[in-house]
Amino acid sequence: MNFHFTEEQQMMRQMVREFAANEIAPFVEHMERGEFPRPILKKMAELGLMGITVPEQYGGAGMDFTSYIIAIHEISKVSATVGVILSVHASVGTNPILYFGTEEQKQKYVPKLASGEYLGAFCLTEPGAGSDAASLKTTAIRDGDHYVLNGSKVFITNGGEADTYIVFARTNPEEKGSKGVSAFIVEKHTPGLVIGKDEKKMGLHGSRTVQLSFEDMRVPAENLLGQEGDGFKIAMVNLDSGRIGIAAQSLGIAEAALEHATNYAKERIQFGKPIAEQQGVAFKLADMATNVEAAKLLVYRAAFLRANGMPCGKEASMAKLFASKTAMENAIEAVQIFGGNGYTEDYPVERLFRDAKVCEIYEGTSEIQRLVISKHLFRGMGK
Ligand code: CAA
């Protein structure tokens, strides 16, 4: 594994850092008040970030997967909200079409997603099917040249804002579990697609998360992705790489917590000297920094495997598990180092604390990451 970014990746990182500092940071207050960052997404589209890994032939920037991970990492240091919107759009919102779509589907949707004209969303989770994704109940029954979808989805990131939704539904209700699940591309104005309640979340206030329901929603049969019954694998394969994006988002939060806490500790004087010089605080910062470096290695190792077309399911889960734990722990310690100030909205660590928690939950809880990792460990051991 190469520990150096290429010149192109370094240039891209610098560009994203400047963009995050100059454009995203001033918009954080708006997002905290619940504003969806449309102007930011428009500028990100102009920079090519919305289709960063999409091949040029489909209107993307044609960069490698590691560059995408660098972008999510750098953006999330400034705004985890923008980080998750981009991660969901560019990975699980776009890649199922890019990797499993027909040429017609790719030509129709991918250039619009890559240019940022369209925003993507991914609809797997249901009220009764969260960690146990294969128990989903939404049905898609073939009727002539359409499928008729009925059911509901919850916790849909980018829902209500997205132009295309990758929807998972059961085309064969007789089959149980992961069998009989299919994936569809659903356009936003499809009759029967009902945008439900906006969740009032602990954090990520500028990102929209909604409930959706499908009421006799007719989807053209040509919008089926792959074959009937391919849906669960399409979801899992795309979640493998989606999880590296969430790991990078977590890494961004963890690193931001470390940076804010370090700067504060160097300036805050108590007992006649900066608190950074008090061992209790200095050791906290040392642990936070060590965990950031360990998370970075796991995240970029998983990205390297994915970028080079190698299996990365186990490594993606390890990266997400560790990086999200580090994000949460570092945010807790950062608030502690800031003391009373850290508990107020006047300082950024309060937001990091609220934003970090969901990284241990979405795109598979930490318990599900452990399940995936352990399944990989048992392979080849007679199981
Ligand atoms: N790649 C390819 N195929 C895979 C796979 C992978 N990573 N994982 C599983 N499969 C295949 C299996 O090989 C198996 O195929 P066969 O039947 O042909 O053998 C089939 O899928 C079923 O696999 P399992 O028996 O392992 O399935 P399971 O029911 O035990 O579930 C699970 C596995 C890992 C627990 C899965 O349900 C899971 O990932 N749950 C978490 C769901 C999740 O992450 N949700 C996130 C929602 S999206 C989101 O949060 C986005 C957002 O808005 C931020």
Side-chain angles (χ1 to χ4, degrees), residues 208-327:
R208 266 187 91 183
T209 309
V210 304
Q211 299 182 3
L212 291 182
S213 56
F214 314 126
E215 299 175 0
D216 288 331
M217 180 176 76
R218 294 181 71 81
V219 177
E222 67 203 28
N223 281 23
L224 173 71
L225 273 175
Q227 305 296 314
E228 279 193 14
D230 286 351
F232 195 74
K233 282 193 184 158
I234 293 176
M236 290 299 118
V237 168
N238 284 288
L239 277 170
D240 280 350
S241 48
R243 285 167 182 161
I244 309 175
I246 300 302
Q249 182 205 22
S250 310
L251 175 60
I253 297 171
E255 204 166 1
L258 170 66
E259 284 174 12
H260 288 300
T262 305
N263 292 337
Y264 184 84
K266 286 198 285 199
E267 281 169 14
R268 172 79 175 163
I269 309 289
Q270 288 292 280
F271 303 105
K273 58 182 179 182
I275 59 172
E277 291 176 26
Q278 330 261 6
Q279 211 172 51
V281 171
F283 280 14
K284 274 191 200 305
L285 291 166
D287 286 343
M288 289 162 74
T290 304
N291 285 333
V292 162
E293 286 309 308
K296 208 176 277 180
L297 289 172
L298 283 169
V299 170
Y300 282 101
R301 157 93 175 143
F304 171 86
L305 294 174
R306 171 66 176 72
N308 288 283
M310 291 185 255
C312 64
K314 181 181 71 178
E315 291 77 7
S317 286
M318 287 176 164
K320 182 179 182 292
L321 174 65
F322 189 80
S324 62
K325 180 168 171 279
T326 302

Side-chain angles (χ1 to χ4, degrees), residues 84 88 92 122 124-125 130-134 155-157 178-179 232-233 236-237 239-240 243 246 362-364 368 371-372 375:
V84 73
V88 168
V92 291
F122 180 82
L124 180 66
T125 305
S131 289
D132 184 9
F155 304 128
I156 305 306
T157 302
S178 61
K179 310 283 180 228
F232 195 74
K233 282 193 184 158
M236 290 299 118
V237 168
L239 277 170
D240 280 350
R243 285 167 182 161
I246 300 302
Y362 58 21
E363 297 211 15
I368 289 298
L371 187 71
V372 171
K375 279 190 183 194

